[in-house]
Amino acid sequence: MKNRGFFSLSLFFLLLLAINQLPAQTLTLDDALKNLGQAELRWDPFLASGVFSAEGHNAAFSSGSQGETGPVLFDNREILDLPLPYTDQGGMLRFPEAFVARVKNTFSRYAEEDKNRFRIAAIIVDPGHGGKDEGAVGSHTVNGKPLKSVEKEIALKVSLLLHARLAAAFPDKRVLLTRDSDTFPTLEDRVSLANAVPLKDNEAAIYISIHANASFNKAARGYEVWYLSPGYRRELIDKSKYADSKEVIPILNTMIEEEITTESILMARSILGHFDRDFGKIMPSRGLKAEEWFVVRNARMPSVLVELGFVTNEADAVYMNGDTHLKDLSEALYKGIIDFVALFERTGGFTASQ
Ligand SMILES: [Zn+2]
């Protein structure tokens, strides 16, 4: 028995020796790149280190000596110990097959995760009023000339500018307008347009309604951002699906509602933050407000309503009459929205389960 054990052990070591002496398969850079598909390599000959990149993902490594393994850093989030690329006697970079294979399947794992990542797939910009509904109107005399400040026109101009900016920034998202001319979609039309946008399970839409304010008090001025009141109970769950478990319906409804409310508040805050930064010195901030605006209330997505300023206040009316100023207003909205989108997508949709 003792001898047989010794024999098996020897055989094992012999085998190990044989495996070690098999020449490891290596690839040239061209073959490695071909293998990795759309990848490219940035190589620093002085540091003898490089980064493979493919579809927004990176694998960073330092070259080793032939047969050496070492750390390869993927996207600053994961380190794998792999056989390292090395420079052969002819000065050519050689890539161990095992290295290329692991880089390849790590990249494809990341690509798969990207597909399931929570994202905002649609942004609906809603210029308030329109057509026969002018919204609020303010009439002023400025430097002896009449100035008529009309909410539907201001809302449309700012919305068109905002839409163009968002569409250019997010070619991979649907950026929609509820109207792009002087027409009058009803509130129901606007909400059903928003709710009809097809979304996958990992996708969300956001809704931004643009308005201008009015008051009998001509001194009232400034901008404000509204979001859905948390007190409003919405019925988002299809009850027929839960016929046997009625007690979960109110719980699920509350969860969805609170999730959307949280996101609406964060989007409202993000927009208000940029308004405060850009216009805080020009016009007063009236802050965040919670209400049950129909158009915000019935959209089943994070929604905000922005009041740009008061058409009934002369200073605000003059401000909103200038094309440069309307561009500035749309720019602040744009920055508020892209910050929110970045935060939302980075955190995987906040409270959404994945
Ligand atoms: Zn309005």
Side-chain angles (χ1 to χ4, degrees), residues 61-77:
F61 62 93
S62 292
S63 69
S65 50
Q66 185 171 357
E68 187 183 348
T69 61
V72 178
L73 174 65
F74 288 85
D75 279 7
N76 292 322
R77 65 164 151 158

Side-chain angles (χ1 to χ4, degrees), residues 127-129 133-136 151-152 155 209-214 293 305-307:
H129 313 276
D133 172 15
E134 293 196 299
E151 180 182 1
K152 69 168 184 179
S209 196
I210 311 289
H211 290 250
N213 231 331
W293 287 96
L305 186 151
V306 183
E307 297 277 9

Side-chain angles (χ1 to χ4, degrees), residues 64-317:
S65 50
Q66 185 171 357
E68 187 183 348
T69 61
V72 178
L73 174 65
F74 288 85
D75 279 7
N76 292 322
R77 65 164 151 158
E78 187 176 10
I79 294 172
L80 301 178
D81 217 30
L82 303 180
L84 292 173
Y86 60 91
T87 310
D88 68 12
Q89 282 144 346
M92 295 285 288
L93 265 175
R94 308 289 309 185
F95 298 88
E97 247 180 1
F99 169 88
V100 175
R102 287 300 292 279
V103 170
K104 186 177 180 175
N105 67 35
T106 305
F107 279 173
S108 54
R109 175 158 55 85
Y110 289 174
E112 199 54 37
E113 286 169 17
D114 286 347
K115 257 193 275 166
N116 299 321
R117 182 155 294 140
F118 218 74
R119 63 186 289 267
I120 286 171
I123 303 173
I124 296 114
V125 179
D126 173 41
H129 313 276
K132 64 182 181 188
D133 172 15
E134 293 196 299
V137 179
S139 295
H140 307 275
T141 306
V142 181
N143 299 329
K145 285 184 191 151
L147 169 66
K148 194 181 172 198
S149 189
V150 183
E151 180 182 1
K152 69 168 184 179
E153 292 169 6
I154 294 164
L156 181 61
K157 282 182 188 167
V158 170
S159 297
L160 289 173
L161 291 166
L162 174 62
H163 174 268
R165 285 288 270 142
L166 290 170
F170 297 120
D172 60 330
K173 301 186 194 307
R174 300 183 66 183
V175 185
L176 306 172
L177 282 161
T178 55
R179 66 180 178 99
D180 59 7
S181 59
D182 189 20
T183 57
F184 175 66
T186 63
L187 294 180
E188 289 85 353
D189 292 340
R190 296 169 204 253
V191 171
S192 37
L193 177 139
N195 287 336
V197 174
L199 297 171
K200 295 183 197 136
D201 285 348
N202 64 319
E203 292 179 337
I206 55 175
Y207 191 96
I208 302 103
S209 196
I210 311 289
H211 290 250
N213 231 331
S215 172
F216 288 115
N217 171 13
K218 295 217 183 282
R221 59 176 307 213
Y223 51 85
E224 59 199 26
V225 184
W226 294 81
Y227 62 89
L228 174 77
S229 161
Y232 187 79
R233 287 271 171 271
R234 282 183 296 178
E235 301 279 305
L236 299 183
I237 301 289
D238 174 7
K239 287 186 181 165
S240 61
K241 273 198 223 161
Y242 297 88
D244 298 328
S245 46
K246 289 201 175 63
E247 77 284 358
V248 304
I249 296 171
I251 300 168
L252 290 176
N253 271 329
T254 309
M255 285 169 61
I256 291 172
E257 175 195 328
E258 273 166 14
E259 179 180 313
I260 294 176
T261 302
T262 305
E263 289 159 359
S264 297
I265 293 173
L266 285 166
M267 176 159 56
R269 245 188 233 152
S270 178
I271 291 171
L272 189 71
H274 281 285
F275 268 67
D276 288 346
R277 243 161 282 163
D278 292 359
F279 311 114
K281 292 204 176 80
I282 304 169
M283 52 170 97
S285 173
R286 297 166 58 88
L288 285 191
K289 312 242 171 179
E291 243 313 341
E292 295 173 9
W293 287 96
F294 178 89
V295 70
V296 175
R297 186 177 75 202
N298 285 350
R300 296 173 182 182
M301 56 194 68
S303 313
V304 297
L305 186 151
V306 183
E307 297 277 9
L308 299 172
F310 282 74
V311 295
T312 43
N313 174 270
E314 188 177 304
D316 279 10

